[in-house]
């Protein structure tokens, strides 16, 4: 039994056991690597490359398509607004063809009166003061008017 114990603790035996353990570890790691490698085949890599290429190739045309669709919808909206405006103008033109409407607008806008009527104009006191201020400003030099405008705008901010 002493020879067996000696053989068990000898350097050569230890090195041989260590080598076998290392070889087993290497073998296990290689089988793991092979298993990992087998997951991604050449076909899968080629498929991934083709898909990425298609995505990159279609990105710009899709962006153009979306922007053109947005532009088309904007132009359709503008066309609809223009058609509504044309309808409004046609209605207004038809109203102006009516003599009663034309007379009403002439009285309202131009302050005309029919024969035998008395016309009155009510003057706003604030408007009279503004007209007086405009008259005073007309007789001053231009740079004084500019400076007064700056002072008024500065005072309105506060």
């Amino acid at each position: 039994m002493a020879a067996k114990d000696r053989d068990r603790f000898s350097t050569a035996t230890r090195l041989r056991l260590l080598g076998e353990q290392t070889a087993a570890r290497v073998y296990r790691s290689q089988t793991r690597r092979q298993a990992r490698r087998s997951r991604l085949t050449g076909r899968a890599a080629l498929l991934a490359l083709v898909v990425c290429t298609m995505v990159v190739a279609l990105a710009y045309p899709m962006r153009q398509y979306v922007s053109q669709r947005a532009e088309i919808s904007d132009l359709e909206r503008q066309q609809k607004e223009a058609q509504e405006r044309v309808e409004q103008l046609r209605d207004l033109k038809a109203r102006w063809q009516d003599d009663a409407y034309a007379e009403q607008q002439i009285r309202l806008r131009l302050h005309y009166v029919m024969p035998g009527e008395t016309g009155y104009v009510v003057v706003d006191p604030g408007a009279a003061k503004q007209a007086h201020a405009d008259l005073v400003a007309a007789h001053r030099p231009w740079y004084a008017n500019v400076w007064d405008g700056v002072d008024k705008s500065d005072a309105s901010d506060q």
Side-chain angles (χ1 to χ4, degrees), residues 94-156:
R95 272 193 254 145
W96 275 99
Q97 298 298 324
D98 183 23
D99 289 337
Y101 179 78
E103 181 181 329
Q104 176 191 12
Q105 292 299 314
I106 289 170
R107 286 173 173 258
L108 181 69
R109 294 181 185 190
L110 302 177
H111 304 289
Y112 278 19
V113 292
M114 294 299 284
E117 295 179 350
T118 305
Y120 294 97
V121 177
V122 178
V123 179
D124 182 23
K129 290 180 183 177
Q130 180 64 29
H132 180 67
D134 289 342
L135 255 169
V136 170
H139 296 296
R140 293 189 314 179
W142 65 271
Y143 50 86
N145 292 335
V146 170
W147 192 251
D148 283 346
V150 171
D151 285 340
K152 287 179 185 177
S153 67
D154 188 34
S156 66

Side-chain angles (χ1 to χ4, degrees), residues 63-76:
R63 186 175 67 107
Q64 289 293 334
Y65 174 77
V66 169
S67 68
Q68 288 174 358
R69 292 304 305 173
E71 186 177 351
I72 287 171
S73 65
D74 186 43
L75 290 173
E76 287 174 347

